Amino acid sequence: MKLAVVVSGWHFPLHFYQVLKDQKVPAGWSIDFFCVSHRDPKFSAEEKKDIIKNFSNTGREKYDKILYQKLATVEDIERLGWNYKLYPNTIGDWGSSNQWLDDHDYKQYDMFLFSHDDNFILTNTLFEEVLKPSSWLILTNSTGNTQRRLRRLFHLPKPLNIRGSFEFFKKEMMEIMGGHFDLSDTTLTREGEVNSAMKFDEISDWNTTVFPLLKLLKDKHLENKVESMSQFYRMSKYCLEGERGFISKSDPSNTKEEDKGFALVEKIYSKR
């Protein structure tokens, strides 16, 4: 059995790449690691040098402080055993995944982990716990956000926003998708850009990347084949998702729910 770990390389905290490479590997499994880079890591180091030195030792910022203790270079990433390749900076997340899929035969793998690289991985037993018999086709780190107030007002279910932040896909799901992510609803690309879009609305068009997959799941009656590691947006016991590069950064409309998830994670790990 083979797992492909396919990561969108943009922020390059060494901690992320190191912790994923140090995960315990279940018996009978082998893992290949790929970084689909959209800019040279030196641009991230320059961008963050004045930000990371001001992190506190409390709350979410303490995780950012650990995450960015060292910025990785290409040499660091390759030394750890990752396959690094620089691609045109077109569409993030599922766009990065498609670039990898263009270069590799997905049928050689049984499972895929697609992730961006500003996540804080909380355990070294992630693969041991996930790579075992299960009924899901997609395992996402967290549920969709709660920005729509009407959803809360009318007690509607939370959305299945499979965003490319941190998701496991089985090969069966990739086959149903035709071996690529449908990005036909998305128009914005950032080819040639090497700086981060720090405002939340600058790359809001990329939110449309989720819609074709959701439609496919609905049309194929597979919504019950998607499971989540957490009921809280961005926060699970396995992974704290970064927002625009940082665990501590948050859209104000989501912060309250994220804080609840973060508090639960802190409680879980305080007992270990």
Side-chain angles (χ1 to χ4, degrees):
M1 301 290 282
K2 291 184 68 175
L3 169 71
V5 177
V6 183
V7 166
S8 300
W10 184 260
H11 298 286
F12 302 105
L14 181 61
H15 181 276
F16 170 84
Y17 292 92
Q18 180 75 65
V19 173
L20 269 183
K21 197 66 177 58
D22 287 346
Q23 290 295 309
K24 294 180 180 179
V25 180
W29 281 85
S30 64
I31 305 175
D32 292 337
F33 294 84
F34 301 90
C35 175
V36 179
S37 175
H38 273 187
R39 64 174 174 176
D40 189 292
K42 67 182 181 183
F43 294 109
S44 179
E46 178 66 23
E47 189 175 78
K48 292 177 172 61
K49 66 180 182 180
D50 293 328
I51 299 174
I52 59 181
K53 64 184 180 182
N54 294 317
F55 288 135
S56 71
N57 293 313
T58 59
R60 296 198 218 174
E61 285 193 0
K62 71 181 178 183
Y63 289 89
D64 284 326
K65 191 170 186 177
I66 296 169
L67 191 64
Y68 287 105
Q69 188 171 12
K70 186 180 188 306
L71 273 293
T73 63
V74 174
E75 293 74 21
D76 289 331
I77 294 168
E78 292 181 333
R79 193 179 302 116
L80 287 172
W82 289 77
N83 298 282
Y84 174 95
K85 183 175 179 180
L86 181 64
Y87 290 81
N89 178 22
T90 51
I91 300 170
D93 295 330
W94 295 139
S96 304
S97 304
N98 274 352
Q99 288 171 319
W100 181 85
L101 289 162
D102 287 341
D103 278 356
H104 299 85
D105 180 8
Y106 77 89
K107 295 179 182 179
Q108 294 181 2
Y109 295 92
D110 302 283
M111 192 91 74
F112 308 84
L113 170 59
F114 297 108
S115 173
H116 50 62
D117 68 352
D118 57 343
N119 292 331
F120 194 104
I121 310 303
L122 292 156
T123 175
N124 67 350
T125 61
L126 170 68
F127 296 149
E128 284 188 330
E129 297 185 44
V130 170
L131 301 180
K132 55 187 179 182
S134 57
S135 61
W136 52 262
L137 293 177
I138 302 174
L139 179 65
T140 181
N141 185 59
S142 65
T143 57
N145 62 31
T146 56
Q147 292 186 21
R148 278 67 171 179
R149 293 183 179 180
L150 287 177
R151 183 178 294 119
R152 295 197 298 272
L153 180 63
F154 293 105
H155 307 288
L156 298 175
K158 296 181 72 175
L160 280 173
N161 281 342
I162 304 164
R163 298 165 288 118
S165 298
F166 196 78
E167 275 96 12
F168 287 88
F169 280 65
K170 289 184 178 176
K171 180 167 63 175
E172 181 184 349
M173 187 66 224
M174 297 302 297
E175 291 171 344
I176 293 169
M177 293 163 53
H180 75 285
F181 290 88
D182 181 351
L183 301 181
S184 58
D185 287 353
T186 307
T187 59
L188 175 69
T189 71
R190 302 189 75 236
E191 193 161 353
E193 296 284 345
V194 294
N195 296 315
S196 293
M198 300 306 291
K199 295 180 180 179
F200 282 102
D201 60 353
E202 282 185 68
I203 54 175
S204 58
D205 181 66
W206 286 359
N207 294 334
T208 61
T209 61
V210 306
F211 299 138
L213 179 54
L214 298 183
K215 183 178 185 303
L216 177 66
L217 292 168
K218 183 177 181 180
D219 290 346
K220 298 286 187 179
H221 307 290
L222 293 174
E223 292 164 299
N224 64 338
K225 292 295 185 179
V226 180
E227 294 185 12
S228 176
M229 300 179 190
S230 171
Q231 63 177 313
F232 299 106
Y233 185 53
R234 291 181 57 204
M235 306 286 161
S236 81
K237 68 176 183 179
Y238 299 105
C239 170
L240 306 180
E241 296 174 34
E243 181 84 78
R244 300 293 193 272
F246 303 106
I247 309 303
S248 57
K249 195 173 181 66
S250 176
D251 186 304
S253 62
N254 296 321
T255 304
K256 185 175 180 180
E257 179 184 349
E258 292 169 7
D259 285 345
K260 288 180 180 178
F262 178 73
L264 181 60
V265 167
E266 290 268 88
K267 185 176 181 180
I268 290 171
Y269 284 94
S270 69
K271 296 178 180 178
R272 297 189 177 184

